[in-house]
Amino acid sequence: MTIVQNQDLLQQFQAALRAKNRQPSTVESYSRDAQDFLRFLEHSGLAIRAVEPETLLWFRDHLHSIQEAENSVRRKVIGVRQFYRFLVDERVINDSPFDSVPLPERDESLRKAVQESALERMLELLPSTSLKQARDRAILHLLGFEGIKAHELILLNWTDHLQSKGLTTLSIPGNKGRTIALSHESAASLEVYAQRFESWRGRQDTDSQARFQRIFVAFKGKDSPLVLPAMTRHGLKFMLHELGERFELKQLHTESLRHHAIQFQLASGKSAEEVMAHLGLRRLGNVGKHLAQSRMAP
């Protein structure tokens, strides 16, 4: 198949996932996984119909060679398997060669959190004079102190941001929807960004203003001159990578920040159940691991 035909299949795959009421983050993730695999096939000189079970194992080895985390490899394998099941449903191929390939084991070890001192140092050094700087600071607070997940953060609208009697809350969207009260620091950081955003939006024409409903905008181009209505997961990942490089924090990503948030919430005196409710968790999981780790600490 040609590159154009592959792109058509990817668009049909996205439409099929949406028709099944999959979460937007799942649609984006599976589509990106399928696209990565199609690029891998292209570079390897293989066609969609020519793959065998071993091809997926080669793809896994390739992901390990570029230092993808084990759970990330597992998620990508799941995405590729879903894409090939779609190809079977659409009768592009007769059967999927990948259903017989076992999934990699999930890495259940406790991820290393960003050190509190390192995160605080970065926030102290990161100014908030520009719209982008204020956005980045607000995002770091919501990820690193409130434990909001990436797909939840990028779906936040300004209507989800509420202030009443000195209390700032966020209504978190998604299938783990909840309303959380923000810490003083997170609320203050988000308020600074809101002021910068309103000042910027007020200078736009009426049509442009109507397009900017999401809380977190995206920036494009050198020195970020172009402002786009919504941030993407890829844009968030790039933002954290950029900040990690700048402040020499190799562990700066959404998972390490979420683990930092668990530590912060527990240290603030919340019970395990309260932390789970705040982060939208249904199982004790890593909260329990953090509790066990703190009890073992000297």
Side-chain angles (χ1 to χ4, degrees), residues 130-272:
S130 72
L131 179 63
K132 184 178 185 303
Q133 290 168 343
R135 182 206 68 170
D136 293 353
R137 282 182 60 87
I139 287 175
L140 287 173
H141 273 97
L142 294 183
L143 293 176
F145 294 92
E146 310 302 332
I148 296 176
K149 299 195 76 170
H151 72 273
E152 295 173 339
L153 183 132
I154 63 178
L155 291 177
L156 285 170
N157 291 321
W158 284 110
T159 53
D160 299 321
H161 175 222
L162 303 173
Q163 293 174 299
S164 177
K165 298 179 180 179
L167 181 66
T168 300
T169 62
L170 277 180
S171 294
I172 309 300
N175 60 355
K176 295 180 181 177
R178 60 203 182 277
T179 298
I180 62 172
L182 300 183
S183 68
H184 174 74
E185 293 80 7
S186 296
S189 183
L190 187 56
E191 178 58 25
V192 170
Y193 170 62
Q195 292 172 2
R196 299 279 185 274
F197 178 82
E198 285 303 321
S199 176
W200 173 85
R201 185 162 62 174
R203 298 192 296 271
Q204 312 307 307
D205 58 60
T206 304
D207 290 341
S208 294
Q209 289 184 26
R211 294 171 56 224
F212 287 84
Q213 303 299 322
R214 293 278 171 84
I215 290 183
F216 293 110
V217 296
F219 299 89
K220 187 175 182 181
K222 187 177 181 181
D223 299 324
S224 307
L226 184 61
V227 183
L228 304 177
M231 173 177 259
T232 64
R233 287 173 68 98
H234 179 74
L236 177 61
K237 183 177 180 180
F238 179 78
M239 182 209 98
L240 293 176
H241 172 76
E242 190 177 49
L243 288 174
E245 289 283 312
R246 178 178 168 186
F247 292 98
E248 299 181 348
L249 285 176
K250 295 181 180 180
Q251 293 293 331
L252 191 65
H253 47 71
T254 54
E255 286 190 36
S256 63
L257 287 167
R258 189 164 163 86
H259 285 295
H260 179 277
I262 293 174
Q263 292 179 347
F264 171 79
Q265 294 287 330
L266 289 171
S268 68
K270 289 185 177 179
S271 66

